[in-house]
Amino acid sequence: MLADWQPTASLANLRLRAELLKQVRALFDARGFLEVETPLLCADTVIDAHIDPLSVTLAQAGRHDPSACRLWLQTSPEQCMKRLLAFGAEAIYQISRAFRAGEGGPWHNPEFTLVEWYRVGDGTQEGIALLSAVAEELLGRGAAEQLSYGAAFQQHAGVDPLRATEDDFVAAARRHEVPIPPPAKGDAAAVDEQAKLDAWRELLLVEVVAPRLGRNTPTIVHDFPASQAALAQMRAGDPPVAERFELFVDGLELANGYHELLDADELIERGERANHIRTSLGKQQLPRPQKLLDAMRHGMPAASGCALGFDRLVALVAGAGKLADVWPFPTDRA
Amino acid sequence: MGTINTSQFRKGLKVQMEGDPYLMIECNFVKPGKGQALYKCKFKNLIRGTVIDKTFKSDTTLEEADVNELSSQYLYRQGEAFVFMDNESFEQYELSADQVGDAWKFLKEGMNCDMVLYNGNAISVTPPNHVVLKVEYCEPAVRGNTATNLTKPVKLETGAEITCPAFIEIGDLLKVDTRTSEYIERARE
């Protein structure tokens, strides 16, 4: 048994962690990326329906201060890094702590480390190629195979995720003996038809598709459903898809990237949609990211960007079964 | 009883689902990066002993089950009923042969057992992991053979039959593992 003060990670894993930090820096430095640092505390945060930021009150030193302003601990360094792109930075990376409320489990901790990068001029293909190279260098398991979101579901769950109806998803879940969750109090599936279909996609992704991804070589899934575009550009087609890509290794979601959305009005609309879902779930509304919108209106250059979960990466390289094996003090013991 | 929200989920919770009490034996938080969190849980039905998988979306609420564990003593058998006494309150509880299940094989009067109450009624008992029971009957021992690979059935004082080494004799005391019904060793008093 560990005493309360003791770390959950071995010194060997902490040495491996330090080694991988060096490798990440070497990898991006060699490609001419500039390492940047941006604030963890900001007035705005990315508005996600299902990611909950923690807030901090900036009070006068040691006193109760009713006028104190509330700042958000960043759920990713995305906003400030994009403001740097709009200001002229061309290729930047950052190794940053990120915070997400309510996320705790073998592969989640409310405080975690992201490696995030952006390169101006990259489209989806270049973004995927860079992520593949990063994965190959850091994991040593070869180049990543590429699979569209649709093909991944077809192959592993036998359903076309972009065209399926709720009945099709139910049938696929039953075929794979997936326990179907009962309706919850705050249930995104109850918001509208689109959110309901997304809930089915997420259930099948978590239970059936993801566990089968990245087993031999890393897998990069691309062309996400339009409803899961987040901050990615859309690509016209039938149906249109989001230029979003994700890396899976040993069934674990390791990185998420976009051909970045540039249209400020579109960002406002997506934020309102996310806030609408948040309200239905009984969650607080998040403020409009005004400074990012200003930066986008000033002119953010076309770029691809990606965020990689560093703790999960270390765990995969270490052959560990949980984040606590590579992060010394998980939040419930910090 | 109160309710339990997904954010309070942890191993060991006792909840009420579809009219039965369940023990949460596993709880796994999973979440696609941008998607809604799911809690993948395993439950043991405290009445039937069966294990089921259930997945919940975040912000699901379950009813807490009125389940208590207490230390009890086996008193006696009365027809089809087994009578136990709560060691603290001295209150007596009856369990049917069905509820006692395989535990009857090891029940000796005066033995301490863990008992589970659900809505105030006894639903199951668990004897200690190891018990010592006397051999009531078996074929004569094979003289001079102390090897343990030769086995034979023996009848214990409780009426249960188990398999043990051929050198065991009537009147011997045997230490038995109640979880596997296996002979462990010959015991002294």
Side-chain angles (χ1 to χ4, degrees):
Chain A
M1 271 298 275
L2 284 178
D4 278 350
W5 63 267
Q6 286 176 312
T8 52
S10 67
L11 287 176
N13 281 349
L14 295 183
R15 276 191 284 272
L16 175 67
R17 191 180 173 99
E19 196 47 51
L20 282 162
L21 277 175
K22 282 184 209 162
Q23 280 185 38
V24 167
R25 289 200 162 93
L27 186 161
F28 285 104
D29 292 345
R31 286 172 169 79
F33 279 68
L34 174 69
E35 179 170 6
V36 296
E37 290 184 286
T38 57
L40 289 179
L41 287 174
C42 294
D44 308 326
T45 174
V46 179
I47 310 174
D48 271 298
H50 302 301
I51 296 180
D52 297 309
L54 293 157
S55 67
V56 168
T57 307
L58 212 61
Q60 292 287 333
R63 292 194 193 89
H64 174 67
D65 178 3
S67 68
C69 71
R70 180 179 61 178
L71 296 176
W72 299 101
L73 277 167
Q74 296 300 283
T75 56
S76 87
E78 183 156 6
Q79 304 208 47
C80 283
M81 291 183 80
K82 287 181 174 173
R83 285 160 66 185
L84 289 176
L85 295 183
F87 190 66
E90 288 183 336
I92 50 176
Y93 77 98
Q94 170 158 218
I95 301 170
S96 165
R97 211 47 62 65
F99 296 84
R100 296 180 185 179
E103 300 194 4
W107 295 107
H108 292 85
N109 192 53
E111 176 179 3
F112 62 104
T113 303
L114 278 177
V115 179
E116 185 147 330
W117 62 89
Y118 294 87
R119 189 162 63 188
V120 171
D122 279 3
T124 310
Q125 273 320 308
E126 293 81 5
I128 289 175
L130 178 55
L131 174 58
S132 177
V134 169
E136 189 171 356
E137 281 188 42
L138 296 176
L139 289 159
R141 300 194 193 183
E145 61 161 345
Q146 295 180 28
L147 202 57
S148 72
Y149 188 94
F153 272 68
Q154 294 272 21
Q155 196 172 316
H156 297 299
V159 66
D160 176 351
L162 304 180
R163 293 175 185 83
T165 62
E166 183 177 23
D167 287 346
D168 298 332
F169 284 124
V170 173
R174 294 240 162 89
R175 264 199 316 279
H176 289 90
E177 294 176 358
V178 172
I180 295 173
K185 191 164 58 180
D187 194 339
V191 175
D192 56 25
E193 193 58 26
Q194 194 179 78
K196 186 195 282 178
L197 293 179
D198 272 331
W200 281 108
R201 292 183 186 111
E202 285 160 13
L203 179 69
L204 285 172
L205 179 76
V206 161
E207 295 272 17
V208 181
V209 181
R212 293 168 170 81
L213 297 177
R215 288 291 162 190
N216 300 314
T217 59
T219 304
I220 294 177
V221 175
H222 55 87
D223 292 357
F224 274 62
S227 52
Q228 296 180 20
L231 299 190
Q233 284 200 27
M234 293 299 300
R235 193 172 71 236
D238 179 30
V241 290
E243 294 189 305
R244 176 178 164 195
F245 47 94
E246 288 213 322
L247 170 66
F248 289 85
V249 179
D250 284 353
L252 208 55
E253 185 186 3
L254 192 56
N256 176 47
Y258 310 129
H259 184 212
E260 301 292 345
L261 177 70
L262 301 175
D263 182 341
D265 294 328
E266 173 77 22
L267 180 63
I268 291 173
E269 260 176 49
R270 292 189 195 175
E272 280 169 1
R273 160 99 186 137
N275 264 333
H276 171 64
I277 296 175
R278 293 185 65 83
T279 307
S280 308
L281 302 184
K283 295 180 171 185
Q284 66 190 137
Q285 296 263 311
L286 295 171
R288 190 177 275 197
Q290 200 50 54
K291 294 190 181 76
L292 174 61
L293 290 166
D294 289 347
M296 288 167 83
R297 290 205 168 102
H298 169 80
M300 191 179 117
S304 270
C306 191
L308 178 144
F310 182 72
D311 310 272
R312 289 185 182 181
L313 171 85
V314 182
L316 285 169
V317 175
K322 54 187 186 301
L323 296 189
D325 291 341
V326 297
W327 173 245
F329 304 113
T331 301
D332 58 2
R333 302 173 52 90
Chain B
M1 297 304 282
T3 56
I4 298 168
N5 188 276
T6 35
S7 59
Q8 300 159 295
F9 276 15
R10 61 184 156 73
K11 269 194 276 192
L13 285 178
K14 289 160 195 119
V15 297
Q16 170 100 17
M17 293 187 295
E18 289 142 21
D20 276 355
Y22 284 88
L23 172 71
M24 189 180 285
I25 52 179
E26 234 177 71
C27 179
N28 232 326
F29 175 90
V30 290
K31 181 182 185 302
K34 302 278 177 193
Q36 200 173 15
L38 295 170
Y39 294 79
K40 294 181 62 175
C41 306
K42 261 193 207 314
F43 294 94
K44 185 177 164 192
N45 185 311
L46 288 173
I47 291 177
R48 279 180 264 284
T50 47
V51 172
I52 55 165
D53 287 308
K54 278 203 179 270
T55 300
F56 300 97
K57 297 175 179 180
S58 53
D59 216 7
T60 299
T61 311
L62 296 179
E63 291 286 320
E64 221 173 330
D66 178 9
V67 171
N68 285 303
E69 279 158 291
L70 47 89
S71 145
S72 70
Q73 196 186 118
Y74 173 54
L75 297 182
Y76 53 87
R77 183 171 180 167
Q78 192 172 45
E80 282 303 290
F82 293 75
V83 183
F84 291 80
M85 181 182 70
D86 176 347
N87 284 339
E88 253 181 48
S89 69
F90 306 119
E91 200 169 323
Q92 294 189 10
Y93 293 89
E94 278 189 12
L95 283 103
S96 68
D98 226 26
Q99 290 173 314
V100 169
D102 277 349
W104 73 269
K105 294 179 182 173
F106 314 105
L107 291 179
K108 208 170 120 177
E109 287 174 12
M111 185 180 278
N112 274 318
C113 294
D114 292 330
M115 184 162 69
V116 178
L117 296 186
Y118 171 51
N119 292 336
N121 301 313
I123 55 167
S124 72
V125 286
T126 313
N129 291 344
H130 298 143
V131 295
V132 172
L133 295 167
K134 192 185 271 177
V135 175
E136 191 180 274
Y137 179 77
C138 65
E139 296 296 324
V142 182
R143 197 166 292 280
N145 191 331
T146 53
T148 48
N149 58 350
L150 268 182
T151 61
K152 64 178 181 187
V154 304
K155 192 173 171 191
L156 300 172
E157 57 181 311
T158 58
E161 266 196 12
I162 66 162
T163 304
C164 66
F167 59 78
I168 295 299
E169 297 181 74
I170 293 174
D172 277 354
L173 291 171
L174 305 186
K175 191 168 168 187
V176 180
D177 189 317
T178 61
R179 296 160 296 184
T180 57
S181 301
E182 275 169 10
Y183 162 89
I184 300 172
E185 62 187 7
R186 207 155 30 169
R188 287 170 222 281
E189 194 55 62

